[in-house]
Amino acid sequence: MKIKFAVATSFLLILFAVNISAQSYDNLWKQIFETQKKDLPKTVIGLCDKIIAKAKKENNHGQLLPAYFIRMVNKEGISNDSTYSQLKELEQWAATSNQPTERMILHSILANFYAQYASDNSYEMPTNVTGTKPVEDIREWTRVQFWDATIKHLNASLEDEKLLHSTNSEKYVPFAKQEWASIYYNHDLLHIIANKAIKSLETFKYVADKNQKVEVSQRIIQIYNDLIAIYKEANEESAIILTTLNKLRFEHHLSGNNEKYLSGLEQLLSQTNPSNEVRAEILTAKALYYSQQKKQDLKKALAIYEEAITLYPNYARINVPKQEKAYITRPVVTLKNLANVVYPNSKIRILVDHRNADSFDVLYYRLPESLPAKDINISNCKLESSQHFILKKSSDYRDKEDLFQINTPGFGTYAVIVKVGNDESYLKKTPERIIRATKLKVLVMRTDKKKIDAVVVDANTGELVSGASVELANNNKKLITKQTTDAQGRTTFITNDNNLKIRATKDNDKYMEYQFTNSWYYRYSGEKAEKENILLITDRSIYRPGQTVYLKGIVYNQKGDTTNIKKKKKLSV
């Protein structure tokens, strides 16, 4: 099996992501960090050996563990095969350590390593069979062997949960990285090791077979139940709330049973002290449920968020319900089907998606010619025109969709800005769209490997446009040649190049964007009879019952490789 050493390295790097310091070790760690920047792994290993020797003598696990793993990673940088020899060393350390807490930490590391290795190398595993002779080299292991190793070390990492519960995690930073919730677990080591065990199981689930997936789910629920029992015995309500919430979310994800999930949240609320600020997490979970269902009940979600904010204003994570409340109530207006190219000085119908807004304005800012999109600064552009629209705000905070008729600007390239209500920050926002206003459209056909036929028509009426300048450019928009259309709006290019771009201009109408020409060509079938062709285009792809369908079309006759546009043709649809 090909080895992915990055897996081991990235996993182990998290163990020393935080600067470690203790008064008597400061100088050694400072040397290590400086030497790492210079990419001198052998020197780093020597310095780590000094810390390890000192930490073993003083029985200082907080210094011993990170020094060991920094040394392990640097050895791997010198020799890839060192990972496997050091893995055996780590296994031996876990098996022989006379420090129960240290032993459980080492087993936690090994469980995570085997689960991650299996997940990242699953496609290269040998046939998954049982009863095979044990293999030392993990590169030859089957899924079953990785599963057995993961479960073995995971169980050993939780061998004495009461000891982990009584152990302060601060001594084992950075392995036991203290997140925001640590204070609500009284900084115990138990919740950290248990969460790492759950993470190892969830990682292995990606490569597990059907039976193993069932075992994964059962084991995760068992871990949650064990934690809840310990925290109940210790009367640690905040830890009970957070652990029960995690269990409820996990079970809801498995079963999809909404009633059971909501019932569990309500029960948790009823069983906990109303003055406990961690209850804000229960209320937030309940509100999120109502806001994320297919049939959203945003009014109910909003009321629950407001309850959490009112009851627990000083809670560490009160910004979460505040942000969710702001998201539900903020005014939003989006133009859904505004095209990138519009016909100048015309009226078009667009769908507008909106919520919580009484009105909006559509503003057209003229952009300087040849200005790259990334350089657009609206405050330096000229406001060409604006239009104001009134909206009927919904009372349930949900999105509404309405059809509006808007006027398009004259020839030019524009940034379209939507100003919602009285929001004066609109100039700082990203444009809704960059549009080009042009009457011209180029119809292109390759009738030969070296021949490109181009016909310029009015994009709205379909009428032929004579005297238009048609430019042919390479893929980088560098002009190759340009020609003028004849009375039939046609011109022909002879070229051996493929991947070309084309556009048309006429007088002040010079804002058409380059479009690709086809690199393939049409093979004439030999038909001599003239055939009428009709091309119809609708204003959108999907309609609601009763909506008006707007059409535009082009009618042309084709005989052999010759096409002629038919003017003012009446059709019945």
Side-chain angles (χ1 to χ4, degrees), residues 413-511:
T413 303
Y414 302 89
V416 181
I417 299 290
V418 175
K419 177 185 174 184
V420 182
N422 296 318
D423 181 12
E424 295 301 326
S425 66
Y426 63 93
L427 288 179
K428 299 177 182 178
K429 295 180 179 177
T430 303
E432 186 82 10
R433 187 151 299 179
I434 304 299
I435 64 169
R436 292 174 177 270
T438 176
K439 291 183 176 181
L440 303 178
K441 186 176 183 65
V442 182
L443 306 177
V444 180
M445 179 180 288
R446 277 185 178 266
T447 53
D448 187 273
K449 286 184 178 180
K450 298 182 180 181
K451 187 177 178 183
I452 299 176
D453 281 344
V455 178
V456 180
V457 298
D458 185 292
N460 197 26
T461 66
E463 293 182 358
L464 301 170
V465 179
S466 62
S469 175
V470 183
E471 301 175 2
L472 199 64
N474 64 17
N475 200 35
N476 296 319
K477 299 182 182 180
K478 184 177 180 181
L479 183 66
I480 296 173
T481 184
K482 62 181 177 179
Q483 297 175 183
T484 303
T485 57
D486 59 20
Q488 294 296 312
R490 165 178 278 176
T491 187
T492 300
F493 294 95
I494 306 299
T495 177
N496 292 318
D497 294 332
N498 289 321
N499 298 321
L500 298 173
K501 293 183 176 181
I502 197 167
R503 73 167 185 172
T505 64
K506 185 175 182 181
D507 302 327
N508 293 329
D509 191 348
K510 52 186 178 180
Y511 298 97

Side-chain angles (χ1 to χ4, degrees), residues 88-107:
K88 291 177 184 176
E89 185 182 333
L90 189 57
E91 288 269 11
Q92 182 67 17
W93 184 7
T96 59
S97 174
N98 60 1
Q99 299 291 332
T101 305
E102 177 186 82
R103 192 165 59 242
M104 287 187 280
I105 289 174
L106 293 169
H107 284 299

Side-chain angles (χ1 to χ4, degrees), residues 233-293:
E233 185 179 340
N235 196 28
E236 296 176 12
E237 188 178 73
S238 295
I240 294 169
I241 291 173
L242 294 173
T243 307
T244 305
L245 267 177
N246 287 336
K247 180 191 172 186
L248 288 172
R249 291 189 187 104
F250 179 75
E251 290 178 328
H252 184 228
H253 177 73
L254 280 182
S255 67
N257 188 326
N258 293 337
E259 289 184 12
K260 185 178 178 182
Y261 179 61
L262 280 175
S263 174
L265 293 176
E266 293 291 357
Q267 186 178 8
L268 192 55
L269 283 169
S270 67
Q271 293 175 347
T272 50
N273 190 333
S275 65
N276 190 329
E277 64 179 8
V278 184
R279 281 164 48 95
E281 295 290 342
I282 311 174
L283 293 170
T284 300
K286 186 178 173 183
L288 274 173
Y289 168 80
Y290 283 115
S291 67
Q292 292 176 349
Q293 295 304 299

Side-chain angles (χ1 to χ4, degrees), residues 56-67:
K56 281 183 176 179
K57 185 177 179 180
E58 298 174 358
N59 199 26
N60 189 327
H61 303 289
Q63 299 290 336
L64 176 62
L65 286 168

Side-chain angles (χ1 to χ4, degrees), residues 491-544:
T491 187
T492 300
F493 294 95
I494 306 299
T495 177
N496 292 318
D497 294 332
N498 289 321
N499 298 321
L500 298 173
K501 293 183 176 181
I502 197 167
R503 73 167 185 172
T505 64
K506 185 175 182 181
D507 302 327
N508 293 329
D509 191 348
K510 52 186 178 180
Y511 298 97
M512 179 183 173
E513 179 62 288
Y514 278 107
Q515 65 186 52
F516 278 105
T517 64
N518 293 323
S519 59
W520 52 271
Y521 69 95
Y522 173 78
R523 291 181 180 273
Y524 171 51
S525 64
E527 260 188 60
K528 294 182 179 180
E530 188 172 68
K531 184 178 179 181
E532 184 177 80
N533 295 275
I534 302 170
L535 175 64
L536 291 179
I537 304 168
T538 60
D539 63 326
R540 56 182 302 194
S541 57
I542 299 175
Y543 296 86
R544 294 197 302 266

Side-chain angles (χ1 to χ4, degrees), residues 69-253:
F69 288 109
I70 291 177
R71 184 184 69 172
M72 186 174 179
V73 171
N74 279 273
K75 279 189 174 182
E76 187 210 354
I78 297 172
S79 171
N80 285 340
D81 286 336
S82 71
T83 297
Y84 301 104
S85 62
Q86 291 182 101
L87 194 56
K88 291 177 184 176
E89 185 182 333
L90 189 57
E91 288 269 11
Q92 182 67 17
W93 184 7
T96 59
S97 174
N98 60 1
Q99 299 291 332
T101 305
E102 177 186 82
R103 192 165 59 242
M104 287 187 280
I105 289 174
L106 293 169
H107 284 299
S108 174
I109 293 167
L110 286 162
N112 196 310
F113 174 81
Y114 286 123
Q116 189 69 58
Y117 192 99
S119 176
D120 288 340
N121 294 277
S122 59
Y123 64 96
E124 293 176 337
M125 283 184 189
T127 306
N128 192 22
V129 293
T130 57
T132 56
K133 184 179 178 181
V135 179
E136 273 195 33
D137 192 339
I138 65 170
R139 289 169 289 190
E140 302 301 323
W141 279 15
T142 66
R143 185 182 287 107
V144 170
Q145 289 168 300
F146 277 110
W147 169 254
D148 290 343
T150 300
I151 292 299
K152 169 191 167 186
H153 289 291
L154 185 145
N155 290 338
S157 73
L158 295 168
E159 181 182 26
D160 191 341
E161 292 177 329
K162 289 191 175 181
L163 175 59
L164 293 173
H165 177 241
S166 64
T167 302
N168 192 306
S169 60
E170 200 167 303
K171 182 180 177 182
Y172 295 95
V173 172
F175 166 77
K177 188 177 179 184
Q178 296 175 328
E179 303 288 354
W180 67 268
S182 181
I183 190 172
Y184 298 109
Y185 288 97
N186 292 318
H187 298 300
D188 72 20
L189 193 56
L190 174 61
H191 82 282
I192 295 175
I193 297 293
N195 284 333
K196 287 183 180 293
I198 290 169
K199 182 181 177 183
S200 295
L201 288 166
E202 289 177 334
T203 299
F204 196 91
K205 197 171 185 178
Y206 290 105
V207 295
D209 60 29
K210 188 176 180 180
N211 293 330
Q212 289 168 344
K213 285 179 180 177
V214 173
E215 289 185 59
V216 164
S217 299
Q218 291 173 343
R219 186 69 179 95
I220 289 175
I221 292 172
Q222 182 189 340
I223 291 172
Y224 282 132
N225 286 336
D226 291 345
L227 291 180
I228 292 167
I230 288 173
Y231 292 130
K232 280 184 177 179
E233 185 179 340
N235 196 28
E236 296 176 12
E237 188 178 73
S238 295
I240 294 169
I241 291 173
L242 294 173
T243 307
T244 305
L245 267 177
N246 287 336
K247 180 191 172 186
L248 288 172
R249 291 189 187 104
F250 179 75
E251 290 178 328
H252 184 228
H253 177 73

